[in-house]
Amino acid sequence: DAGVIQSPRHEVTEMGQEVTLRCKPISGHNSLFWYRQTMMRGLELLIYFNNNVPIDDSGMPEDRFSAKMPNASFSTLKIQPSEPRDSAVYFCASSLGSRQEPYEQYFGPGTRLTVT
Amino acid sequence: TQLLEQSPQFLSIQEGENLTVYCNSSSVFSSLQWYRQEPGEGPVLLVTVVTGGEVKKLKRLTFQFGDARKDSSLHITAAQTGDTGLYLCAGVRDSNYQLIWGAGTKLIIKP
Protein backbone atom coordinates (compact mmCIF):
# COMPACT_ATOMS: atom_id res chain seq x y z
CA ASP A 1 0.00 0.00 0.00
CA ALA A 2 1.30 3.47 -0.87
CA GLY A 3 0.29 5.00 2.44
CA VAL A 4 -1.09 8.51 2.84
CA ILE A 5 0.18 10.82 0.12
CA GLN A 6 0.55 14.55 0.60
CA SER A 7 1.59 17.28 -1.78
CA PRO A 8 3.49 19.46 -1.96
CA ARG A 9 6.14 18.42 0.58
CA HIS A 10 7.36 21.98 0.92
CA GLU A 11 5.60 25.26 0.16
CA VAL A 12 7.04 28.74 0.48
CA THR A 13 4.69 31.61 -0.21
CA GLU A 14 4.26 35.27 0.50
CA MET A 15 1.79 36.66 2.96
CA GLY A 16 -1.61 37.18 1.38
CA GLN A 17 -1.28 34.38 -1.15
CA GLU A 18 -3.60 31.40 -1.36
CA VAL A 19 -2.17 28.03 -0.38
CA THR A 20 -3.69 24.64 -1.19
CA LEU A 21 -2.47 21.44 0.43
CA ARG A 22 -3.51 18.08 -0.95
CA CYS A 23 -4.00 14.63 0.53
CA LYS A 24 -4.78 11.15 -0.76
CA PRO A 25 -5.75 8.82 2.10
CA ILE A 26 -5.11 5.10 2.24
CA SER A 27 -7.60 3.26 0.06
CA GLY A 28 -10.47 1.85 2.09
CA HIS A 29 -10.02 4.21 5.04
CA ASN A 30 -13.18 6.10 5.85
CA SER A 31 -11.82 8.75 8.20
CA LEU A 32 -9.50 11.62 7.32
CA PHE A 33 -7.84 14.13 9.61
CA TRP A 34 -5.92 17.35 8.99
CA TYR A 35 -3.39 18.35 11.66
CA ARG A 36 -1.00 21.22 12.16
CA GLN A 37 2.26 20.77 14.07
CA THR A 38 4.42 23.52 15.54
CA MET A 39 7.11 23.54 18.20
CA MET A 40 5.01 25.75 20.44
CA ARG A 41 1.65 24.00 20.20
CA GLY A 42 2.53 20.45 19.19
CA LEU A 43 0.05 18.47 17.09
CA GLU A 44 -3.33 20.16 16.70
CA LEU A 45 -6.36 18.65 15.00
CA LEU A 46 -7.84 21.06 12.47
CA ILE A 47 -10.70 19.07 10.94
CA TYR A 48 -12.04 15.53 10.76
CA PHE A 49 -13.99 13.91 7.91
CA ASN A 50 -15.91 10.66 8.08
CA ASN A 51 -17.15 9.12 4.83
CA ASN A 52 -16.24 12.40 3.07
CA VAL A 53 -18.43 14.49 5.40
CA PRO A 54 -16.86 17.09 7.73
CA ILE A 55 -17.72 16.01 11.26
CA ASP A 56 -15.73 18.41 13.41
CA ASP A 57 -14.03 21.59 12.20
CA SER A 58 -13.76 23.23 15.60
CA GLY A 59 -9.97 23.17 15.32
CA MET A 60 -9.88 25.29 12.18
CA PRO A 61 -8.19 28.51 13.33
CA GLU A 62 -10.40 30.99 11.49
CA ASP A 63 -12.31 31.64 8.32
CA ARG A 64 -9.12 31.84 6.32
CA PHE A 65 -8.90 28.05 6.57
CA SER A 66 -11.19 25.72 4.64
CA ALA A 67 -11.12 22.01 3.85
CA LYS A 68 -12.95 19.82 1.37
CA MET A 69 -13.23 16.13 0.64
CA PRO A 70 -14.99 15.75 -2.72
CA ASN A 71 -14.49 11.97 -2.77
CA ALA A 72 -13.04 9.14 -0.73
CA SER A 73 -9.58 9.45 -2.27
CA PHE A 74 -8.87 13.18 -2.13
CA SER A 75 -8.95 16.08 0.29
CA THR A 76 -7.67 19.64 0.25
CA LEU A 77 -6.84 22.18 2.94
CA LYS A 78 -6.85 25.76 1.73
CA ILE A 79 -5.55 28.90 3.43
CA GLN A 80 -6.64 32.20 1.93
CA PRO A 81 -5.11 34.65 2.59
CA SER A 82 -2.04 33.12 4.20
CA GLU A 83 -0.21 34.80 7.09
CA PRO A 84 3.27 34.25 8.59
CA ARG A 85 1.73 32.69 11.71
CA ASP A 86 0.34 29.90 9.51
CA SER A 87 3.89 28.60 9.03
CA ALA A 88 3.92 25.02 10.30
CA VAL A 89 3.97 21.41 9.17
CA TYR A 90 0.55 20.25 8.06
CA PHE A 91 -0.24 16.55 8.26
CA CYS A 92 -3.01 14.51 6.78
CA ALA A 93 -3.90 11.21 8.44
CA SER A 94 -6.41 8.51 7.64
CA SER A 95 -8.01 5.79 9.71
CA LEU A 96 -9.97 2.65 9.06
CA GLY A 97 -12.15 3.38 12.04
CA SER A 98 -13.18 -0.24 12.48
CA ARG A 99 -13.57 -2.13 15.71
CA GLN A 100 -10.44 -4.13 14.90
CA GLU A 101 -8.28 -0.99 14.67
CA PRO A 102 -10.09 1.63 16.69
CA TYR A 103 -9.00 5.09 15.63
CA GLU A 104 -5.39 4.16 14.81
CA GLN A 105 -4.22 6.82 12.45
CA TYR A 106 -1.78 6.63 9.56
CA PHE A 107 0.00 9.84 8.74
CA GLY A 108 1.34 11.25 5.53
CA PRO A 109 4.83 12.79 5.35
CA GLY A 110 3.48 16.30 5.86
CA THR A 111 3.69 19.61 4.04
CA ARG A 112 6.11 22.15 5.49
CA LEU A 113 4.55 25.56 4.89
CA THR A 114 6.54 28.76 5.20
CA VAL A 115 4.74 32.07 4.80
CA THR A 116 7.04 35.08 4.48
CA THR B 1 -4.51 22.49 29.85
CA GLN B 2 -2.72 19.45 28.49
CA LEU B 3 -4.95 16.43 29.05
CA LEU B 4 -2.07 14.05 28.44
CA GLU B 5 1.19 15.00 30.11
CA GLN B 6 4.35 13.44 28.76
CA SER B 7 7.62 13.37 30.64
CA PRO B 8 10.37 14.05 30.22
CA GLN B 9 9.97 16.57 27.41
CA PHE B 10 13.53 15.97 26.29
CA LEU B 11 15.99 13.15 26.93
CA SER B 12 19.52 12.69 25.64
CA ILE B 13 21.37 9.51 26.61
CA GLN B 14 24.21 7.30 25.44
CA GLU B 15 23.68 4.27 23.27
CA GLY B 16 23.21 1.14 25.38
CA GLU B 17 21.44 2.85 28.27
CA ASN B 18 17.87 2.15 29.35
CA LEU B 19 15.15 4.77 29.56
CA THR B 20 11.48 5.20 30.42
CA VAL B 21 9.04 7.77 29.03
CA TYR B 22 5.77 8.50 30.79
CA CYS B 23 2.32 9.56 29.63
CA ASN B 24 -0.06 10.63 32.40
CA SER B 25 -3.62 11.91 32.64
CA SER B 26 -6.41 12.38 35.15
CA SER B 27 -8.82 11.08 32.50
CA VAL B 28 -9.65 7.49 31.67
CA PHE B 29 -9.04 6.31 28.11
CA SER B 30 -10.49 3.32 26.33
CA SER B 31 -7.14 2.78 24.67
CA LEU B 32 -3.82 4.51 24.30
CA GLN B 33 -1.49 4.66 21.35
CA TRP B 34 2.23 5.36 21.04
CA TYR B 35 3.73 6.91 17.91
CA ARG B 36 7.28 7.70 16.89
CA GLN B 37 8.05 10.61 14.62
CA GLU B 38 11.38 11.07 12.86
CA PRO B 39 12.54 14.43 11.46
CA GLY B 40 10.77 15.33 8.24
CA GLU B 41 8.22 12.53 8.55
CA GLY B 42 4.78 11.99 10.00
CA PRO B 43 4.15 10.07 13.23
CA VAL B 44 4.18 6.29 12.83
CA LEU B 45 2.06 4.09 15.05
CA LEU B 46 4.10 1.77 17.28
CA VAL B 47 1.47 0.12 19.45
CA THR B 48 -2.04 0.35 20.89
CA VAL B 49 -2.75 -0.77 24.44
CA VAL B 50 -6.35 -1.43 25.36
CA THR B 51 -6.68 -3.33 28.64
CA GLY B 52 -5.75 -1.89 32.03
CA GLY B 53 -2.42 -3.37 33.12
CA GLU B 54 -1.64 -4.57 29.61
CA VAL B 55 2.01 -4.95 28.63
CA LYS B 56 3.15 -5.14 25.01
CA LYS B 57 6.65 -5.68 23.74
CA LEU B 58 8.08 -4.57 20.43
CA LYS B 59 11.67 -5.85 20.34
CA ARG B 60 13.52 -3.64 22.88
CA LEU B 61 10.48 -1.45 23.54
CA THR B 62 8.04 -2.32 26.33
CA PHE B 63 4.72 -0.51 26.61
CA GLN B 64 2.47 -0.64 29.64
CA PHE B 65 -1.05 0.66 30.19
CA GLY B 66 -1.88 1.62 33.76
CA ASP B 67 -4.41 -0.46 35.69
CA ALA B 68 -6.82 2.47 35.80
CA ARG B 69 -6.24 3.26 32.09
CA LYS B 70 -5.13 6.81 32.93
CA ASP B 71 -1.42 6.47 32.25
CA SER B 72 1.13 4.59 30.20
CA SER B 73 4.85 4.11 29.98
CA LEU B 74 7.35 3.25 27.30
CA HIS B 75 10.59 1.56 28.36
CA ILE B 76 13.48 1.14 25.96
CA THR B 77 16.20 -1.36 26.82
CA ALA B 78 19.73 -0.86 25.47
CA ALA B 79 18.83 2.18 23.40
CA GLN B 80 20.24 2.45 19.90
CA THR B 81 20.85 5.51 17.73
CA GLY B 82 17.96 4.38 15.54
CA ASP B 83 15.60 4.98 18.48
CA THR B 84 16.14 8.72 18.14
CA GLY B 85 12.93 10.59 17.49
CA LEU B 86 9.86 12.26 18.95
CA TYR B 87 7.67 9.85 20.91
CA LEU B 88 4.01 10.80 21.13
CA CYS B 89 1.26 9.21 23.15
CA ALA B 90 -2.39 9.61 22.16
CA GLY B 91 -5.45 8.58 24.14
CA VAL B 92 -8.82 7.46 22.82
CA ARG B 93 -11.96 8.34 24.76
CA ASP B 94 -14.99 6.07 24.62
CA SER B 95 -17.24 6.82 21.66
CA ASN B 96 -14.99 9.57 20.45
CA TYR B 97 -13.05 9.54 17.21
CA GLN B 98 -10.66 12.21 18.37
CA LEU B 99 -7.23 11.32 19.72
CA ILE B 100 -6.00 13.33 22.70
CA TRP B 101 -2.33 13.96 22.02
CA GLY B 102 0.55 14.44 24.41
CA ALA B 103 3.16 17.08 23.63
CA GLY B 104 5.81 14.44 22.99
CA THR B 105 9.19 13.37 24.33
CA LYS B 106 12.14 14.23 22.15
CA LEU B 107 14.65 11.41 22.50
CA ILE B 108 18.26 11.61 21.31
CA ILE B 109 20.50 8.56 21.50
CA LYS B 110 24.17 9.45 21.21
CA PRO B 111 26.64 6.93 19.73
Side-chain angles (χ1 to χ4, degrees), chain A residues 60-100:
Chain A
M60 296 285 261
E62 48 200 271
D63 292 345
R64 298 184 297 106
F65 285 68
S66 62
K68 293 182 180 180
M69 192 164 186
N71 56 64
S73 59
F74 184 66
S75 177
T76 59
L77 177 68
K78 185 177 292 186
I79 308 173
Q80 165 65 18
S82 58
E83 296 182 3
R85 61 189 166 127
D86 301 330
S87 297
V89 182
Y90 290 81
F91 288 104
C92 174
S94 69
S95 172
L96 189 59
S98 72
R99 288 189 176 183
Q100 285 72 37

Side-chain angles (χ1 to χ4, degrees), chain A residues 3-114:
Chain A
V4 176
I5 299 172
Q6 289 187 248
S7 65
R9 290 296 307 274
H10 302 274
E11 177 79 41
V12 180
T13 190
E14 292 183 349
M15 183 172 116
Q17 297 298 305
E18 177 180 295
V19 175
T20 299
L21 312 182
R22 297 173 176 79
C23 174
K24 177 178 168 56
I26 292 173
S27 177
H29 282 191
N30 63 3
S31 297
L32 184 139
F33 307 81
W34 281 101
Y35 288 92
R36 177 172 66 179
Q37 187 177 42
T38 61
M39 290 289 292
M40 290 297 294
R41 300 174 69 89
L43 203 57
E44 301 175 279
L45 177 67
L46 299 176
I47 188 169
Y48 158 62
F49 290 88
N50 184 253
N51 292 323
N52 312 337
V53 176
I55 302 300
D56 183 356
D57 65 355
S58 59
M60 296 285 261
E62 48 200 271
D63 292 345
R64 298 184 297 106
F65 285 68
S66 62
K68 293 182 180 180
M69 192 164 186
N71 56 64
S73 59
F74 184 66
S75 177
T76 59
L77 177 68
K78 185 177 292 186
I79 308 173
Q80 165 65 18
S82 58
E83 296 182 3
R85 61 189 166 127
D86 301 330
S87 297
V89 182
Y90 290 81
F91 288 104
C92 174
S94 69
S95 172
L96 189 59
S98 72
R99 288 189 176 183
Q100 285 72 37
E101 296 179 280
Y103 311 117
E104 293 175 345
Q105 296 182 12
Y106 296 83
F107 284 76
T111 295
R112 180 173 294 277
L113 174 64
T114 303

Side-chain angles (χ1 to χ4, degrees), chain B residues 10-84:
Chain B
F10 179 80
L11 184 59
S12 178
I13 63 172
Q14 292 293 138
E15 194 171 29
E17 294 183 13
N18 302 332
L19 67 108
T20 302
V21 174
Y22 300 93
C23 179
N24 295 305
S25 176
S26 58
S27 300
V28 176
F29 295 101
S30 58
S31 64
L32 194 135
Q33 302 168 12
W34 284 93
Y35 293 77
R36 179 170 64 208
Q37 183 179 15
E38 298 185 15
E41 300 295 332
V44 174
L45 179 68
L46 295 174
V47 77
T48 299
V49 284
V50 179
T51 307
E54 181 177 6
V55 177
K56 280 192 175 178
K57 292 193 174 184
L58 191 65
K59 296 183 181 179
R60 294 172 295 98
L61 278 60
T62 301
F63 304 85
Q64 184 162 8
F65 202 11
D67 291 342
R69 291 185 288 132
K70 293 182 179 181
D71 54 84
S72 182
S73 64
L74 157 60
H75 182 79
I76 301 179
T77 303
Q80 299 178 355
T81 55
D83 297 327
T84 292

